[in-house]
Amino acid sequence: MSGKTFAEPLPASRSPLPAHAPIGIFGGTFDPIHFGHLRLAEDMAEALGLERVLFIPAGQPPHRDAPRTAAGHRLEMVRRAIGGNPRFVTDAREVQRPQPSYTVDTLTALRAELGQTRPLWLLLGADAFLGLAGWHDWRRLFELANIAVATRPGAQLLQPGAIMEPLKSEVTQRQVASCNPPGPPAGAILLRTTPLLDISATAIRGMLARHDSARYLLPDAVLDYIHEYQLYACT
């Protein structure tokens, strides 16, 4: 069912997927989730032929400051945001994990549930990808999933010298120009130029703290939830 919240392990709540149907994994603090997140996921789902995109809110993200908003609220905002899209699914495993949320641990758990042959695509924005070499056990990510990076035309990621070592060597070895579905199980890097929406969760939080209107930057269901619980009411 649309917007269902999953814990480990991932249950077969819909009709069974074909054995090689590709799945996208989209993590983040989602503080709050907005149309920029949703558009990125939709574009990648279309380009890669993804049968599902798992939205996985971070519980305790180790690579950045703690989210402003409690994990339960961020999880519920994601659930409400994606409720109308049958391809999008909420996965609660990182919120339910008591220790920091490392992507490599999440992908390891998904591999154990979904098998070794199904293509998995980790969906990232350009800024997150450029910092990948600072992630915990980051090289093992390529054993577990492919990585699809969304970037704007002319963005820094596409400029000479933008990708530094040691990530540059991995890109040189693994980059594919395109990928027809379903793609390999793991190991590929796809840099996809796409017309991303220039929307920032930081900017939205600031607007809401000033009591400015954030309508049309995020789904109405999310905005209604924010107002109901007075999230982001002050800086």
Side-chain angles (χ1 to χ4, degrees):
M1 292 178 291
S2 301
K4 182 174 176 60
T5 299
F6 291 129
E8 299 181 33
L10 186 68
S13 63
R14 310 181 192 221
S15 57
L17 295 175
H20 296 287
I23 291 179
I25 298 98
F26 190 21
T29 54
F30 301 122
D31 192 19
I33 189 169
H34 53 68
F35 283 131
H37 297 128
L38 298 171
R39 182 59 228 174
L40 185 157
E42 180 71 9
D43 181 82
M44 287 296 191
E46 288 292 315
L48 297 169
L50 303 178
E51 293 287 339
R52 298 282 188 272
V53 177
L54 306 184
F55 283 70
I56 308 181
Q60 303 177 49
H63 306 294
R64 56 189 300 172
D65 294 337
R68 281 282 312 277
T69 311
H73 283 311
R74 293 184 287 106
L75 181 67
E76 180 61 18
M77 287 190 284
V78 169
R79 188 191 69 79
R80 295 188 180 209
I82 69 174
N85 190 327
R87 185 156 52 182
F88 290 174
V89 178
T90 311
D91 187 310
R93 72 187 66 227
E94 291 194 4
V95 167
Q96 296 170 345
R97 188 179 296 155
Q99 60 268 36
S101 303
Y102 290 111
T103 301
V104 68
D105 295 332
T106 297
L107 291 177
T108 298
L110 285 168
R111 269 290 169 220
E113 296 164 25
L114 299 172
Q116 300 303 310
T117 60
R118 185 185 301 279
L120 299 182
W121 286 90
L122 179 64
L123 310 183
L124 296 178
D127 290 345
F129 181 70
L130 287 174
L132 192 69
W135 292 22
H136 174 66
D137 205 4
W138 68 279
R139 282 194 169 91
R140 198 156 74 87
L141 297 174
F142 300 113
E143 301 172 14
L144 299 166
N146 304 297
I147 297 181
V149 186
T151 186
R152 295 179 179 84
Q156 177 190 359
L157 183 66
L158 303 177
Q159 304 304 317
I163 304 174
M164 306 298 291
E165 296 292 356
L167 181 58
K168 182 179 179 180
S169 295
E170 297 291 345
V171 173
T172 300
Q173 174 186 348
R174 300 177 183 279
Q175 184 177 2
V176 294
S178 62
C179 193
N180 294 326
I189 297 175
L190 176 68
L191 307 181
R192 175 170 170 77
T193 302
T194 185
L196 299 175
L197 302 181
D198 189 14
I199 302 175
S200 160
T202 301
I204 290 173
R205 292 196 301 269
M207 295 171 71
L208 293 168
R210 296 189 301 271
H211 304 286
D212 294 339
S213 173
R215 193 166 297 280
Y216 307 123
L217 297 176
L218 64 174
D220 285 346
V222 175
L223 191 56
D224 291 345
Y225 184 86
I226 288 170
H227 289 322
E228 179 182 357
Y229 288 92
Q230 298 184 344
L231 306 179
Y232 316 114
C234 58
T235 56

